[in-house]
Amino acid sequence: MAFESINEFISMGTHGPYVWSVYGISLILLLGSYFASVKAKKNQIKRLKQRYLREQKS
Amino acid sequence: MTYSSFFYSEILAIFRRKQDAVNALVFFLLVITLFPLGVSPSKEFLQPAAGGIIWCAVALAVLMSVEGMFKEDYNDGSLEQLVVSGLYLPVLVLLKLAVHWFAIMLPLLVLTPILSQMLFINWEILWVLILTLILGSPALFLIGTIGAALTVSLRRGAVLMLLIILPFYLPVIIFSTGAIAAAQVGQPYNGQLAILGAISLMTLTLSPIMAAVSIKASVN
Amino acid sequence: MNWIWFHKLGSPKWFFQWANKWSKFAFVIGLVMLVVGIAWGLGFAPADYQQGNSFRIIYIHVPSAILAQSCYLGLGVAGLVSLVWRMKMAPVFIKAVAPLGAVMAVIALISGAIWGKPTWGAWWVWDARLTSVLILFLLYMGVIAIQNSLDDMQLADKAVAVISVVGLINLPIIKYSVEWWNTLHQPATFTITAKPAMPMEMWLPLLLSTLGMYGFIAAIAMWRMQTEVLVREHRSNWVKKEILDNGI
Amino acid sequence: MISADLGKPLHSNLDLSISGLVIERSERILCDNFSCVVKAGEVARIMGENGAGKSTLLKVIAGILQPLEGQIFFSGEDISYHRDMLHRELLYLGHHAGIKAVFSVAENLNWYCPNQTSDAIELALDVVGLAGYSDTPAHQLSAGQQRRIALARLWLTDKKVWLLDEPFTALDVKGVAVLEAKIKQHTDAGGLVILTTHQALDDSLSVKEIKLV
């Protein structure tokens, strides 16, 4: 571990706000891409399923 | 239809639509006027910035005029006729571009000496400016054609075309203004001119083909 | 050389089933490497002797910058494949990957700007690397804009393919011109990432997080491509069978 | 060009055959597994409801649109991807017939048919009912008159394959008869015509009907 304590790890010298804001923003963007893509796939499958079932009935 | 009859008809069409070329020139002048009025009319600002101002104005004016290059042909169906003419489409694109280049760039080159006085460019530097315009502007037209061909079927394609094409103009603008800046401080500028020529030659081989692909995809 | 895999890749059905198998694998491996690499970089790698702890931003900045460029390279190659071989999956790839590349460019830009503050004392410096990522971002926005503006799918596919190919050829020129421009305007600036001989403890986590980012993005890209395949092939029997039988 | 020496028209063996064509337009299948053969000397009339894809089929044959699947052969050669061979022999008149508004009537024809004398052009304009208009700018003419400029090309061309989208719409009864006579003359000389029309065609033409469903 490059840091002596948890507090030091969080403050990162004086650079804590910079480092943590970068990782925070990146995390949000990456998670956003992940969830958006997974949800789009699920929705498309659901839409097609409903459509195929409707076609089968008629 | 033959290559020569197409070429002749393009010249005729440009001649009949003189106002389009005039519009491009007026637009060019307007963009240049924005800088002294918007930033500063002082010689200290304008002299070093002149190359960049003129080149940005040229890039925008060329984009504006190239954008409408296929619009009318698309609307009246002659673009379809070009596709089925049995002639090689990239060559037709190139002929059309050559006519447009002359119609826009010749008056613009005539205008530059006057403008260079208004922007305090020395006579020795003017020569470099004109060289960069001659060597670099073909690339602007050639790259712009691709965007024009892609967006021709859109009613409001101008902004979209600006968005996709302008980034590709950056190298031309960088090396042109670089050559002018180098000349202004008395450094050699042959390298930049050579790169400009190389970029124009490279786009000359690539973009007629890409524009032809885009035209074929757009007419339907 | 056996080219069968190349032709298979062109088949939406084959791709869909292949991605079903491998996407989760890529995702898990990628995520583990990314987390390990970043945790290592944040907690265990030594601080930079010049920049101190702000240097730890590199473990997200460089992977995203590399991914932004790799995605664009992929776009260009896919554009070429789409124009020359008219392969069905190539436009699907472009459509799925372009927004991911844009996100990567945004992360690289934001992290670069925030890193710039403690390093240069300014949020933004017209440094060659940041400027070319900015242009890369604009190129992505162009691809996305034209994709979304053209309603006719065939035309949109052709258009993004053309723009990607033109971009692929232009990217080196743009990069070179920006670097040349940068040296002209800012001789000998202190660039944030170009460091001579990074020590192993700094370099290994960077490698890990970069590879992890590749896996992570590859998995998301596969899911997005699958979605797009489902949209485009919804009339074909295999999609119907896949959805009704397997309930994916 | 009709060669007098041989005593028969050139390209008399020319034919256009379509096999297994599938055309998709905006998420809709217009043509499913469509096949047909049109030989030299034949007039093929594409039949179908409004919106059945008649114009689209013409565009696909002309190579303006790409089919989803299927092949097109021209005189036995597969031209599915490269239409150059067909284009050398093709005259296509679509909905918008490619008449430039800023050109005069004669200039419009000069552009498409550069090898014709001005007398020939005057004659062609006379036939389509535009006598005396040759110096009038096209934008001063009505839409129907503009279409007739394009039709005048039929009298000025030596192309063998004609694809005509609704060629009769802008014509009066007399004009229709004149055009039908021209089409007959063309097919008799070994030409090939594919057209769409709402009108019943004259009995003297050997019309082959192609149904689109």
Side-chain angles (χ1 to χ4, degrees), chain C residues 85-115:
Chain C
W85 289 289
R86 298 163 202 247
M87 198 178 263
K88 266 184 174 179
M89 287 308 294
V92 174
F93 177 87
I94 298 179
K95 192 171 182 184
V97 168
L100 290 178
V103 169
M104 286 294 105
V106 166
I107 292 180
L109 278 177
I110 292 178
S111 59
I114 294 178
W115 192 356

Coordinates of all heavy atoms in Angstrom, one line a residue, chain C residues 85-115:
Chain C
W85 N -17.1 -5.4 -49.0 CA -17.7 -6.7 -49.0 C -19.2 -6.7 -48.7 O -19.8 -7.8 -48.7 CB -16.9 -7.6 -48.1 CG -15.6 -8.0 -48.5 CD1 -15.3 -8.8 -49.6 CD2 -14.3 -7.6 -48.0 NE1 -13.9 -8.9 -49.7 CE2 -13.3 -8.2 -48.8 CE3 -14.0 -6.7 -47.0 CZ2 -12.0 -7.9 -48.6 CZ3 -12.6 -6.5 -46.8 CH2 -11.6 -7.1 -47.5
R86 N -19.7 -5.5 -48.5 CA -21.1 -5.4 -48.1 C -21.5 -6.4 -47.0 O -22.6 -7.1 -47.1 CB -22.0 -5.7 -49.4 CG -21.7 -4.6 -50.4 CD -22.3 -5.1 -51.8 NE -21.6 -4.5 -52.8 CZ -22.2 -3.6 -53.7 NH1 -23.5 -3.4 -53.5 NH2 -21.6 -3.0 -54.6
M87 N -20.7 -6.6 -46.1 CA -21.0 -7.5 -45.0 C -22.1 -7.0 -44.1 O -22.0 -5.8 -43.7 CB -19.7 -7.8 -44.2 CG -19.8 -9.0 -43.4 SD -18.2 -9.2 -42.6 CE -17.4 -10.4 -43.7
K88 N -23.0 -7.8 -43.7 CA -24.2 -7.3 -43.0 C -23.8 -6.8 -41.6 O -24.5 -5.9 -41.1 CB -25.2 -8.4 -42.8 CG -26.3 -8.4 -43.9 CD -27.3 -9.5 -43.6 CE -28.5 -9.5 -44.5 NZ -29.4 -10.6 -44.2
M89 N -22.8 -7.4 -41.0 CA -22.5 -7.1 -39.6 C -21.7 -5.8 -39.5 O -21.7 -5.2 -38.4 CB -21.7 -8.2 -38.9 CG -22.6 -9.4 -38.6 SD -24.1 -9.0 -37.7 CE -23.4 -8.4 -36.1
A90 N -21.1 -5.3 -40.6 CA -20.2 -4.1 -40.4 C -21.0 -2.9 -40.1 O -20.6 -2.2 -39.1 CB -19.5 -3.9 -41.8
P91 N -22.1 -2.6 -40.7 CA -22.9 -1.4 -40.3 C -23.4 -1.5 -38.8 O -23.5 -0.5 -38.1 CB -24.0 -1.3 -41.3 CG -23.8 -2.2 -42.3 CD -22.7 -3.2 -41.9
V92 N -23.7 -2.8 -38.5 CA -24.2 -3.0 -37.1 C -23.1 -2.7 -36.1 O -23.3 -2.0 -35.1 CB -24.6 -4.5 -37.0 CG1 -25.0 -4.8 -35.5 CG2 -25.8 -4.8 -37.9
F93 N -21.9 -3.1 -36.5 CA -20.7 -2.8 -35.6 C -20.6 -1.3 -35.4 O -20.4 -0.8 -34.3 CB -19.5 -3.4 -36.2 CG -18.2 -3.1 -35.4 CD1 -17.8 -3.9 -34.4 CD2 -17.4 -2.0 -35.8 CE1 -16.7 -3.6 -33.7 CE2 -16.3 -1.7 -35.1 CZ -15.9 -2.5 -34.0
I94 N -20.6 -0.6 -36.6 CA -20.4 0.9 -36.5 C -21.5 1.5 -35.6 O -21.2 2.4 -34.8 CB -20.5 1.5 -37.9 CG1 -19.3 0.9 -38.8 CG2 -20.3 3.0 -37.9 CD1 -19.3 1.5 -40.2
K95 N -22.7 1.1 -35.9 CA -23.8 1.8 -35.1 C -23.7 1.5 -33.6 O -23.9 2.3 -32.8 CB -25.1 1.2 -35.6 CG -26.3 2.0 -35.1 CD -27.6 1.7 -35.7 CE -28.7 2.6 -35.2 NZ -30.0 2.2 -35.7
A96 N -23.2 0.3 -33.3 CA -23.1 -0.1 -31.9 C -21.9 0.5 -31.2 O -22.0 0.9 -30.0 CB -23.1 -1.6 -31.7
V97 N -20.8 0.7 -31.9 CA -19.6 1.1 -31.3 C -19.4 2.6 -31.2 O -18.8 3.1 -30.3 CB -18.4 0.4 -32.0 CG1 -17.1 1.0 -31.6 CG2 -18.4 -1.1 -31.7
A98 N -20.0 3.3 -32.2 CA -19.7 4.8 -32.2 C -20.1 5.5 -30.9 O -19.3 6.3 -30.4 CB -20.5 5.4 -33.4
P99 N -21.3 5.2 -30.3 CA -21.6 5.9 -29.1 C -20.6 5.5 -27.9 O -20.3 6.3 -27.1 CB -23.0 5.4 -28.8 CG -23.6 5.0 -30.0 CD -22.4 4.4 -30.8
L100 N -20.2 4.2 -28.0 CA -19.2 3.8 -26.9 C -17.9 4.6 -27.1 O -17.3 5.0 -26.1 CB -19.0 2.3 -27.0 CG -20.1 1.4 -26.6 CD1 -19.7 -0.1 -26.8 CD2 -20.5 1.6 -25.2
G101 N -17.4 4.7 -28.3 CA -16.2 5.5 -28.6 C -16.4 6.9 -28.1 O -15.5 7.5 -27.5
A102 N -17.6 7.5 -28.3 CA -17.8 8.8 -27.9 C -17.7 8.9 -26.4 O -17.1 9.9 -25.8 CB -19.1 9.3 -28.4
V103 N -18.3 7.9 -25.7 CA -18.2 7.9 -24.2 C -16.8 7.8 -23.8 O -16.3 8.6 -22.8 CB -19.1 6.8 -23.6 CG1 -18.8 6.6 -22.1 CG2 -20.5 7.0 -23.9
M104 N -16.0 7.0 -24.4 CA -14.6 6.8 -24.0 C -13.9 8.2 -24.2 O -13.1 8.6 -23.4 CB -13.9 5.8 -24.9 CG -14.3 4.4 -24.6 SD -13.7 3.9 -23.0 CE -15.2 3.9 -22.0
A105 N -14.2 8.9 -25.3 CA -13.5 10.1 -25.6 C -13.9 11.2 -24.5 O -13.1 11.9 -24.1 CB -13.9 10.7 -27.0
V106 N -15.2 11.1 -24.1 CA -15.6 12.0 -23.1 C -14.9 11.8 -21.8 O -14.4 12.7 -21.1 CB -17.2 11.9 -22.9 CG1 -17.6 12.6 -21.6 CG2 -17.9 12.5 -24.0
I107 N -14.7 10.5 -21.4 CA -14.0 10.2 -20.2 C -12.6 10.6 -20.3 O -12.0 11.2 -19.3 CB -14.1 8.7 -19.9 CG1 -15.5 8.3 -19.5 CG2 -13.2 8.3 -18.7 CD1 -15.7 6.8 -19.3
A108 N -12.0 10.4 -21.4 CA -10.6 10.8 -21.6 C -10.5 12.4 -21.5 O -9.5 12.9 -20.8 CB -10.0 10.4 -22.9
L109 N -11.4 13.1 -22.0 CA -11.4 14.5 -22.0 C -11.6 15.1 -20.6 O -10.8 15.9 -20.1 CB -12.5 15.1 -22.9 CG -12.2 15.2 -24.4 CD1 -13.4 15.7 -25.1 CD2 -11.0 16.1 -24.6
I110 N -12.6 14.5 -19.9 CA -12.9 15.0 -18.6 C -11.7 14.7 -17.6 O -11.3 15.6 -16.9 CB -14.2 14.4 -18.0 CG1 -15.4 14.9 -18.8 CG2 -14.4 14.7 -16.6 CD1 -16.7 14.3 -18.4
S111 N -11.2 13.4 -17.7 CA -10.1 13.1 -16.8 C -8.9 13.9 -17.1 O -8.2 14.3 -16.2 CB -9.8 11.6 -16.9 OG -9.5 11.2 -18.2
G112 N -8.7 14.2 -18.5 CA -7.5 15.0 -18.8 C -7.7 16.4 -18.3 O -6.7 17.0 -17.8
A113 N -8.9 17.0 -18.4 CA -9.1 18.3 -17.9 C -8.9 18.4 -16.4 O -8.2 19.4 -15.9 CB -10.5 18.8 -18.3
I114 N -9.5 17.5 -15.7 CA -9.3 17.5 -14.2 C -7.9 17.3 -13.8 O -7.4 17.9 -12.9 CB -10.3 16.5 -13.6 CG1 -11.7 16.9 -13.9 CG2 -10.1 16.4 -12.1 CD1 -12.8 15.9 -13.3
W115 N -7.2 16.4 -14.5 CA -5.8 16.2 -14.2 C -5.0 17.4 -14.5 O -4.0 17.7 -13.9 CB -5.3 15.0 -15.2 CG -4.0 14.5 -14.8 CD1 -3.1 14.9 -13.9 CD2 -3.4 13.3 -15.5 NE1 -2.0 14.1 -13.9 CE2 -2.2 13.1 -14.9 CE3 -3.8 12.5 -16.5 CZ2 -1.3 12.1 -15.3 CZ3 -3.0 11.5 -16.9 CH2 -1.7 11.3 -16.3

